[in-house]
Amino acid sequence: MKKADAVILGVDPGSLIMGYAVIAVYGNKVELVTMDVVKLSSHKDMYVRLEMIHTRITELIKQYAPDTFAIEAPFFGKNVQSMLKLGRAQGVAIAAAMQHTLSVTEYAPKKVKQSVTGNGNADKEQVWKMLQRVLSIEEKPQFFDATDALAVAMCHHYQTSSPLFNTGAQKAKGWEDFIAQNPGRIKLK
């Protein structure tokens, strides 16, 4: 099997249903590798659900060896408790990715929709229809959480493969990397 130029793990975080998708990029062609959800019972303690999220993200990383991890940022709703739970779920997923030294990129929901459909206010059905068309997918998944995760992965692909985004400069992993990549920006007193 031909090695992919990039493998991207996209996640739509949730404290009850977490969507995930893995795509492989071969030049200009993108293929769906897998897409599904993790169902987290509301009858289980929140900390047990968080552990389940961490475990599943770790399993996905070990199984598919993604190069990068993209996640949807939580949108700000009126229910503070829901936002806290969603933030925790997102944090645990990010921590699992970072534990495996993946670069992490977060995208706002409007940015994801804009990247996939051209409309930042598109509904879930419009996003799914565009993904079906672009990736030639026949079957409709049971949960839009999975398609949302696929949209996040595609958004990341579009953002990182764009000539405007990809200027050849490498993303610094810390101040030491930044200084090494930008020696002319250091001012000595």
Side-chain angles (χ1 to χ4, degrees), residues 64-85:
Y64 297 106
D67 302 298
T68 57
F69 178 88
I71 191 163
E72 189 171 80
F75 61 92
F76 297 101
K78 293 180 181 179
N79 186 328
V80 175
Q81 287 303 313
S82 293
M83 283 301 299
L84 286 171
K85 289 177 184 175

Side-chain angles (χ1 to χ4, degrees), residues 97-159:
M98 292 178 73
Q99 185 176 19
H100 291 87
T101 66
L102 292 178
S103 66
V104 174
T105 308
E106 184 176 320
Y107 294 100
K110 278 189 176 269
K111 179 70 169 181
V112 172
K113 293 173 186 178
Q114 175 73 35
S115 293
V116 172
T117 69
N119 175 5
N121 295 315
D123 64 27
K124 291 179 181 290
E125 188 69 34
Q126 290 171 310
V127 171
W128 168 238
K129 291 292 183 195
M130 185 60 78
L131 291 169
Q132 272 187 304
R133 192 173 310 130
V134 170
L135 296 170
S136 303
I137 302 171
E138 297 293 324
E139 72 284 350
K140 182 177 179 178
Q142 188 177 3
F143 297 95
F144 276 125
D145 305 82
T147 62
D148 287 351
L150 178 57
V152 171
M154 287 300 293
C155 172
H156 186 70
H157 165 64
Y158 292 145
Q159 296 302 306

Side-chain angles (χ1 to χ4, degrees), residues 12 15 27 38 48 53-54 59 70 83 94-95 98 104 120 131 137 141 150 156-157 163 167 169 175 180 185 188:
D12 177 35
S15 61
V38 176
V48 171
I53 291 169
H54 188 277
E59 290 168 354
M83 283 301 299
I94 290 170
M98 292 178 73
V104 174
L131 291 169
I137 302 171
L150 178 57
H156 186 70
H157 165 64
T167 60
W175 281 114
R185 295 183 72 179
L188 300 174

